[in-house]
């Protein structure tokens, strides 16, 4: 996440939605940019407000993504780290030899089908709706952009903060584009629809 007290602004970083790009874009321009002590960068809004209740009065923003495309992007990151590790890249080897989430996923799920069908059952992080990151029973993000309209929504976010317009939005930590519809069997497709029903209803996503 990213907090600016001067701008009374909180950005909630949902995994695989472009949050690394937004952080890299905004943090250098917000002199007081900070995180919330004790929380990971992917903390949910309820966790953030539990740690710092006053942030509920700030302008809150986040980005969401088509759930099927998001899971494919997540798996593509795992594959990328595997390939780099096999090529001898020290950073990737370090990640995959550890006890972190990425290492566990890479070891336990041999392919994308297992990642979707078993992973969403066994790993709470993989089945948490994006809406759960961006809302609580009493508060919801004021601005929810979409990865599908990323450039336009980043421009809107920058304008809301009163920052200079961005000539070209970079792509940090991005996987190579793939059509998610080619990667899912009917059973996998239906599993995602079940797990992320809240996102599909809230944001109107379709396969």
């Amino acid at each position: 996440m990213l907090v600016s007290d001067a701008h009374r602004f909180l950005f909630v970083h949902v995994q695989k939605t472009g949050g690394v790009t937004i952080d890299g874009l905004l943090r250098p321009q917000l002199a007081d940019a900070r995180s919330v002590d004790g929380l990971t960068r992917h903390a949910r809004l309820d966790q953030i407000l539990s740690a710092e209740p006053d942030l509920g009065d700030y302008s809150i923003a986040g980005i969401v993504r088509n759930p099927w495309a998001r899971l494919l992007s997540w798996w593509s990151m795992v594959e990328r780290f595997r390939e780099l590790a096999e090529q001898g890249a020290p950073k990737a080897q370090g990640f995959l030899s550890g006890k972190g989430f990425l290492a566990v996923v890479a070891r336990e799920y041999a392919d994308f089908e297992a990642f979707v069908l078993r992973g969403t059952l066994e790993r709470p992080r993989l089945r948490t709706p994006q809406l759960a990151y961006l809302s609580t029973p009493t508060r919801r993000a004021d601005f929810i952009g979409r990865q599908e309209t990323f450039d336009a929504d980043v421009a809107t976010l920058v304008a809301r903060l009163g920052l200079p317009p961005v000539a070209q939005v970079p792509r940090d930590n991005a996987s190579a584009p793939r059509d998610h519809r080619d990667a899912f069997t009917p059973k996998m497709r239906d599993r995602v629809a079940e797990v992320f029903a809240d996102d599909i209803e809230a944001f109107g996503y379709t396969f």
Side-chain angles (χ1 to χ4, degrees), residues 61-207:
I63 303 290
V64 296
R65 185 176 193 169
N66 180 296
W68 292 275
R70 178 171 172 258
L71 279 188
L72 179 59
S73 177
W74 214 333
W75 178 249
S76 296
M77 180 179 68
V78 174
E79 289 185 316
R80 187 168 72 249
F81 270 90
R82 278 178 171 168
E83 292 172 1
L84 290 171
E86 290 172 359
Q87 295 167 8
K91 182 178 179 181
Q93 290 176 336
F95 267 116
L96 297 187
S97 64
K99 298 180 180 179
F101 179 76
L102 183 64
V104 171
V105 166
R107 285 195 296 267
E108 295 193 359
Y109 306 113
D111 52 34
F112 186 46
E113 184 174 24
F115 179 76
V116 172
L117 297 181
R118 286 180 43 223
T120 55
L121 284 172
E122 300 168 353
R123 300 289 161 189
R125 190 181 306 186
L126 290 178
R127 65 172 180 264
T128 302
Q130 297 167 89
L131 189 62
Y133 281 89
L134 298 171
S135 61
T136 75
T138 58
R139 186 74 167 90
R140 180 168 169 163
D142 305 289
F143 176 78
I144 300 178
R146 297 174 183 246
Q147 198 274 339
E148 296 80 13
T149 52
F150 192 68
D151 288 10
D153 290 337
V154 168
T156 298
L157 188 56
V158 167
R160 287 166 68 100
L161 288 167
L163 299 175
V166 180
Q168 183 174 2
V169 178
R171 287 293 186 272
D172 298 329
N173 199 35
S175 303
R178 295 167 65 182
D179 189 336
H180 66 269
R181 291 167 294 185
D182 297 332
F184 286 82
T185 65
K187 187 175 181 179
M188 293 163 67
R189 180 196 63 205
D190 292 346
R191 174 62 182 162
V192 173
E194 175 188 356
V195 171
F196 296 101
D198 288 348
D199 290 342
I200 292 166
E201 180 180 358
F203 306 116
Y205 281 118
T206 60
F207 182 68

Side-chain angles (χ1 to χ4, degrees), residues 1 36 38-43 47:
M1 93 286 290
V36 175
L39 297 181
T40 69
R41 68 176 180 173
H42 297 303
Q47 296 170 315

